[in-house]
């Protein structure tokens, strides 16, 4: 650990910590690609989140209790991979954060789980004042439009663009994040490895979607349905997998809010709060 890193950490401590006292790791908080709920952050939103998440605490499953605090972000950066394109045709960009924990007897097992890849996936909670339709540009925070998320119009997949970030609350370790690429990582430490890592990530994410689809189909209609869904999903691309998974989720969660991205209208300023899992 270099001196600059330790200085950044000590901005948030009551006393100066030594290198032996802290554990650091990198985490991808979110990106500009279309997620499992057919939503994405604008590039401007990523910049706002980059500034907003410095100093924010890390917890588990978005449980905002003091005893649940595990880590804190001490630095952030935006990483762009010009060799990788998003689903809507723009260069891929992600928000990378550097986090630290104070080594204690209580968290030594958590540190082992992070190093071992068990505790990896993360999501963020933030507040976005604007939600825009990618097809027509309608402000969905104040009204709506006729376009349906996940459906193609003129070859372009309709999705919601999140922008005007007003606050960043926390980030959490979760089991299944809405954003496929969010999680603890070493992939973005070396720029030269970005392209190969991205390809590997996409394959792994699609396989995870296929497992989710089989499980959801089983709960919807039994083993035979799960087998049929598994065969169908085998030849689907990412966006098709997302759509199929969403259809099964809707069958299981009628009358509930979206599984992975919760929006809650604030009457005074039309701000929506998001929990990206």
């Amino acid at each position: 650990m270099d001196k600059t890193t330790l200085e950044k950490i000590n901005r948030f401590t009551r006393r100066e910590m030594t290198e032996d006292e802290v554990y650091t790791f990198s985490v991808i908080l979110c990106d500009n690609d279309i997620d499992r709920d057919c939503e994405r952050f604008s590039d401007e939103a990523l910049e706002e989140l980059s500034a907003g998440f410095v100093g924010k605490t890390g917890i588990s499953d978005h449980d905002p209790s003091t005893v649940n605090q595990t880590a804190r972000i001490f630095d952030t950066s935006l990483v762009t991979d010009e060799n990788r394109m998003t689903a809507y045709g723009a260069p891929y960009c992600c928000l990378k954060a550097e986090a630290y924990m104070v080594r204690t007897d209580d968290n030594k097992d958590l540190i082992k789980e992070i190093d071992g890849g068990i505790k990896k996936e993360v999501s963020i909670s933030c507040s976005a004042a604007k939600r825009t339709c990618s097809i027509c540009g309608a402000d969905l925070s104040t009204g709506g439009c006729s376009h349906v998320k996940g459906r193609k119009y003129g070859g372009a997949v309709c999705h919601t663009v999140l922008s005007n970030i007003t606050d960043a609350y926390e980030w959490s370790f979760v089991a299944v994040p809405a954003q496929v690429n969010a999680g603890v990582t070493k992939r973005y430490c070396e720029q030269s490895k970005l392209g190969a890592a991205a390809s590997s990530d996409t394959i792994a994410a699609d396989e995870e979607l296929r497992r989710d689809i089989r499980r959801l189909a089983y709960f919807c209609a039994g083993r035979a349905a799960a087998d049929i869904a598994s065969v169908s999903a085998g030849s689907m691309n990412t966006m098709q997998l997302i759509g199929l998974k969403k259809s099964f989720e809707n069958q299981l969660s009628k009358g509930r809010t979206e599984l992975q991205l919760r929006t809650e209208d604030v009457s005074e300023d039309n701000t929506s709060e998001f929990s990206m899992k």
Side-chain angles (χ1 to χ4, degrees), residues 1 9 16 29 42 65 84 86 91 149 152 166 177 179 197 199-200 208 211-212 254 264 268 271:
M1 183 184 304
I9 292 172
E16 290 194 2
L29 296 177
S42 67
S65 62
R84 177 182 179 182
T86 63
K149 286 196 304 182
K152 285 189 175 182
T166 58
Q179 296 219 323
S199 176
S200 176
E208 181 180 347
R211 288 193 295 270
D212 289 344
K254 288 181 180 179
E264 179 180 339
E268 293 185 358
T271 297

Side-chain angles (χ1 to χ4, degrees), residues 104-272:
T104 67
D105 290 337
D106 291 335
N107 66 18
K108 61 183 180 181
D109 289 337
L110 174 58
I111 291 174
K112 289 181 180 179
E113 289 178 332
I114 293 174
D115 284 342
I118 304 302
K119 289 290 172 55
K120 178 180 179 181
E121 291 78 14
V122 304
S123 72
I124 65 172
S125 288
C126 65
S127 182
K130 190 173 183 179
R131 295 178 295 128
T132 306
C133 173
S134 65
I135 302 299
C136 66
D139 187 348
L140 304 178
S141 301
T142 59
C145 67
S146 61
H147 299 112
V148 180
K149 286 196 304 182
R151 186 173 297 175
K152 285 189 175 182
Y153 297 88
V157 176
C158 177
H159 59 276
T160 300
V161 182
L162 309 178
S163 58
N164 290 12
I165 304 300
T166 58
D167 204 351
Y169 301 127
E170 47 80 13
W171 54 283
S172 292
F173 285 106
V174 296
V176 183
Q179 296 219 323
V180 174
N181 300 298
V184 177
T185 183
K186 295 180 182 178
R187 293 187 297 272
Y188 297 93
C189 294
E190 299 181 44
Q191 187 70 23
S192 62
K193 295 181 180 179
L194 277 170
S199 176
S200 176
D201 290 346
T202 301
I203 294 172
D206 285 352
E207 288 306 310
E208 181 180 347
L209 284 168
R210 292 184 177 99
R211 288 193 295 270
D212 289 344
I213 287 168
R214 180 178 178 83
R215 175 178 56 82
L216 289 166
Y218 176 83
F219 286 126
C220 283
R223 185 177 299 278
D227 291 341
I228 293 172
S230 182
V231 172
S232 299
S235 59
M236 291 182 177
N237 60 33
T238 301
M239 294 309 301
Q240 291 171 329
L241 290 170
I242 290 172
L244 181 58
K245 178 174 181 284
K246 197 69 176 179
S247 69
F248 283 123
E249 288 176 338
N250 289 337
Q251 292 181 50
L252 291 173
S253 58
K254 288 181 180 179
R256 292 167 49 188
T257 55
E258 294 179 357
L259 290 178
Q260 303 301 331
L261 178 60
R262 300 188 300 274
T263 64
E264 179 180 339
D265 290 335
V266 179
S267 59
E268 293 185 358
D269 60 4
N270 289 323
T271 297
S272 296

Side-chain angles (χ1 to χ4, degrees), residues 46-58:
L46 288 181
E47 293 179 0
E48 294 164 344
L49 288 169
S50 181
F53 267 103
V54 175
K56 292 301 188 292
T57 189

